[in-house]
Amino acid sequence: MAVVSLREIVDRAFEQRYGVPAINIVNDLTLEAVLAGAVEARSPVIVQTSVKTVKSIGAEVLFAMWTAMTKDIDVPVTLHLDHCPERAVISQCLEIGWNSVLFDASTLPVEENQRQTIEVVAEARRHGAHVEGEIEAIQGVEDGIGVDTETRRQSLDTALGFIRATGVDVFAPSIGNAHGVYSATPALDFQRVSDLVEATGTPIALHGGSGMTDAQFADLIARGCAKVNISTALKIEFMTSSLAFLKKAEAANKWDPPALFADVRSHIVALTTGLAQTFGSAGKAW
């Protein structure tokens, strides 16, 4: 098993009611570590790239890294473009080989969002790729995309109409979740997930996963959240482990970059395996 489509991973998780970690990487080290963690946990994994990461590394270079690191991998993995409002970036990534995209037109009126999402789905299908959609901007700015305040939640009928009209493969609803760091345990609308799943049979993407409790994860996954997004947790782990190592290096006046990389890598691997255990995807590789 190597690189597969988003639907191959998400549909199995949805049917068997486990969640798949969808982890935003920031560089080559975190990409390799997330993949290594998936292999260690024998878990499928969705590797996500923000628009900011695509632009900072370069789409061609980033995809070359992905291709090299997944060449002989023996667990199911897929490459996903996260929260992208830019049609040109979506087209570029689809043409290069990304397996799926989240077209984020949540700041547009629903009608215009729907019109453009239909176009993106058609474009993705030409490349054999899949699409995640959303109609509500989830609170929190991450990598320069998002809003600081909670936006008005659309009606259930509006959400159902969007899913049916666009044919998106995964849908990301606003249920009281937020990007970034929660100041308190979030109050989530669990029933909205159940209502969406029962009416459409569409797998749900849970955004703002960093900071939710294990009990909240278990409940939402059981209701149909098959894709669980994690971004902030990786950034925190990457930067705090780097900082801790560098403080020790400074105290010892010992400067060894490869040792730093190995230490940070171990933290990201452990984060990935822990998420797979929490979401129930550990041991689900095929």
Side-chain angles (χ1 to χ4, degrees):
M1 185 55 61
V3 178
V4 300
S5 71
L6 177 69
R7 286 294 299 265
E8 286 181 75
I9 288 178
V10 171
D11 285 355
R12 285 185 184 229
F14 184 70
E15 291 167 6
Q16 298 177 34
R17 287 302 194 263
Y18 61 86
V20 177
I23 306 175
N24 284 59
I25 58 92
V26 296
N27 59 8
D28 56 340
L29 187 154
T30 52
L31 171 57
E32 190 279 330
V34 165
L35 293 171
V39 171
E40 184 176 318
R42 307 307 303 162
S43 170
V45 72
I46 300 163
V47 170
Q48 302 199 141
T49 59
S50 69
V51 176
K52 187 175 184 178
T53 297
V54 170
K55 290 183 175 181
S56 65
I57 296 175
E60 295 280 2
V61 173
L62 185 52
F63 190 73
M65 288 162 40
W66 164 259
T67 301
M69 292 184 191
T70 58
K71 180 176 180 292
D72 297 314
I73 201 162
D74 62 353
V75 297
V77 298
T78 198
L79 183 63
H80 180 75
L81 176 65
D82 194 27
H83 282 293
C84 183
E86 301 179 39
R87 295 284 296 273
V89 175
I90 283 177
S91 295
Q92 179 188 31
C93 289
L94 288 173
E95 288 168 4
I96 290 172
W98 263 249
N99 303 109
S100 57
V101 299
L102 165 53
F103 175 49
D104 187 347
S106 57
T107 59
L108 298 177
V110 174
E111 295 78 9
E112 179 61 15
N113 182 343
Q114 181 170 303
R115 185 189 70 78
Q116 291 199 42
T117 300
I118 289 171
E119 293 177 351
V120 170
V121 169
E123 180 181 7
R125 295 293 184 263
R126 293 195 292 271
H127 294 279
H130 295 121
V131 177
E132 179 181 338
E134 65 177 345
I135 57 174
E136 301 138 332
I138 295 170
Q139 184 177 354
V141 177
E142 194 160 41
D143 287 340
I145 296 175
V147 294
D148 286 319
T149 57
E150 186 173 1
T151 57
R152 182 176 66 87
R153 200 170 300 174
Q154 299 292 336
S155 69
L156 179 63
D157 284 344
T158 299
L160 296 178
F162 176 88
I163 293 169
R164 291 165 178 153
T166 59
V168 292
D169 303 284
V170 180
F171 183 69
S174 172
I175 56 169
N177 45 337
H179 295 131
V181 179
Y182 292 103
S183 57
T185 301
L188 303 175
D189 185 354
F190 297 93
Q191 188 58 43
R192 187 170 178 84
V193 173
S194 295
D195 292 342
L196 289 166
V197 168
E198 289 171 8
T200 67
T202 300
I204 299 299
L206 175 61
H207 288 211
S210 300
M212 290 185 186
T213 67
D214 288 356
Q216 287 176 324
F217 281 131
D219 192 329
L220 290 165
I221 289 168
R223 293 170 187 264
C225 288
K227 176 178 180 284
V228 185
N229 284 23
I230 297 292
S231 178
T232 300
L234 180 137
K235 293 173 183 174
I236 291 172
E237 195 68 35
F238 177 80
M239 297 192 76
T240 56
S241 61
S242 298
L243 181 61
F245 186 95
L246 290 170
K247 285 181 176 179
K248 291 179 182 178
E250 182 180 40
N253 196 29
K254 184 176 181 181
W255 307 99
D256 183 356
L260 166 65
F261 303 152
D263 183 77
V264 174
R265 177 188 185 275
S266 70
H267 283 82
I268 302 303
V269 170
L271 172 69
T272 304
T273 58
L275 292 171
Q277 292 288 343
T278 298
F279 302 161
S281 63
K284 298 294 187 180
W286 63 88

